[in-house]
Amino acid sequence: MMRGWLGGFLFLSLNFRAHMYRTARCLCSGRSVPVAEAVINAVHRRFAARPTGSQPLPPLPSVTEVKRAISAVASNKNGYLAWALYAALRQGEIAIGGHAGTALAGAMLHVDHELYGDQVAHRTMSVLEVVTASGEAPADELVEHVAAACALAGLPDRAEALLNDHTRRRGFVNYKLAGALIEACGNARQLPRGERMYRELERSTGRRPPAIAPAIALLKATAAAGDLDRAFSFLRELTYECGIEPRGGMLSPLLCGCARAGDVERALEVVSMAKQRGIRLENAAVREFARAGGDFVEPAVALYREARANGSLMSRGSVSKLVAACATAGDDRTALELLSGADGCAISTHCGEHSLFMRSGRGNWPELRWDWTVAGTWTGIWTRP
């Protein structure tokens, strides 16, 4: 009975990890990391093999191979594959030191935050626990990655615990951790708590702003909480009272907040503000407008066309979201135009097509399905036929 239960558990565990790995490859088509995939496969082969008396188990990857895999995943900013690699390393009981943990946690942040925000937080916290359990003091950068994940997931209590622990150990306030706490408050709809934290930093430092990281964090918090009036008011405070020139990191949160609130007029105002200052926000604008859909689709397409006409490249994520938004709006012609003009944008035809049909809620796309499949030839990269 026990043997059967353990066998079933191992089967489910291996299949879950295999599914995670396949998902990682699908979502990250065009950013393949062979050395990381080799390490994951080696672990899978080891635990899928049945031990016999005559044949030894397949070997686990070497320390050098693991280091190269982690470095490659981190440099490629491949969050989904970082999750799969971390799961494989844990399964193989391969030691994860502080440097490796920091690199993995940083890579894990590069996923779709709206879909996977909670999972990013849980996984980075798991990395921190593993590194701490090994007896190493976690590096500041690792703690900052975990705090950033907590901010995305709206976990202010956890972010505050990280900040307090760091301040106790190091004897000073880390402004990135403080900013993560403020941002987490906004995502958790606890904006007054985040504002109190920011104003306390102003009082304790005697500076306005106390640092740029908490200032940007409060902009993100106000926008995430849906208080656009407060967000624009704080931007004016930073610009005219504190003498801080707006930059991309300050305008992007406002753009996102306007899109979430369905405020097209204010969103276009932010885009205009960015253009006047020479700030490139086209990618962010197309991505957020496409996510919002509805009345935002037309200006998103216009911004995409303008960017392409100026020679600017659009990210894979922005283009794929815009294609899905056009599909949802019933604009098949524009969706096809976007796909046919996506040279070099690594759009996954295997995962992307499924995502497109699922997100659009429409199944009557025979022309698009045929054209995309034949032209892309299932390579994961769109090329002109």
Side-chain angles (χ1 to χ4, degrees), residues 70-248:
I70 293 173
S71 176
V73 167
S75 63
N76 278 267
K77 297 182 179 180
N78 191 326
Y80 305 100
L81 198 54
W83 292 359
L85 178 59
Y86 175 65
L89 296 179
R90 292 295 306 277
Q91 182 185 18
E93 298 182 351
I94 299 172
I96 301 174
H99 180 73
T102 299
L104 278 174
M108 287 177 180
L109 297 172
H110 296 280
V111 297
D112 190 321
H113 299 152
E114 287 193 355
L115 294 176
Y116 302 109
D118 291 341
Q119 295 181 47
V120 173
H122 293 314
R123 283 174 170 81
T124 54
M125 283 191 281
S126 174
V127 173
L128 178 61
E129 290 170 2
V130 168
V131 171
T132 303
S134 70
E136 289 189 51
D140 287 0
E141 190 178 2
L142 172 56
V143 180
E144 289 166 4
H145 291 327
V146 179
C150 292
L152 295 172
L155 302 173
D157 292 340
R158 181 60 179 166
E160 187 169 23
L162 291 170
L163 173 63
N164 292 339
D165 179 67
H166 180 277
T167 304
R168 178 184 54 79
R169 287 189 297 106
R170 305 280 283 165
F172 64 89
V173 175
N174 182 307
Y175 291 123
K176 288 186 178 179
L177 297 184
L181 169 56
I182 293 169
E183 185 180 347
C185 290
N187 286 321
R189 296 297 192 269
Q190 299 179 22
L191 186 56
R193 178 181 176 183
E195 285 198 271
R196 286 196 300 272
M197 177 68 192
Y198 180 82
R199 298 306 177 189
E200 177 57 36
L201 286 173
E202 280 190 332
R203 287 190 292 271
S204 63
T205 61
R207 297 193 302 267
R208 296 185 64 200
I212 196 62
I216 292 177
L218 186 55
L219 275 172
K220 290 181 177 180
T222 51
D227 193 343
L228 294 183
D229 290 339
R230 182 72 192 93
F232 277 87
S233 174
F234 184 58
L235 178 64
R236 288 191 294 271
E237 176 185 327
L238 290 174
T239 304
Y240 300 112
E241 297 181 24
C242 304
I244 303 297
E245 183 67 20
R247 58 190 73 179

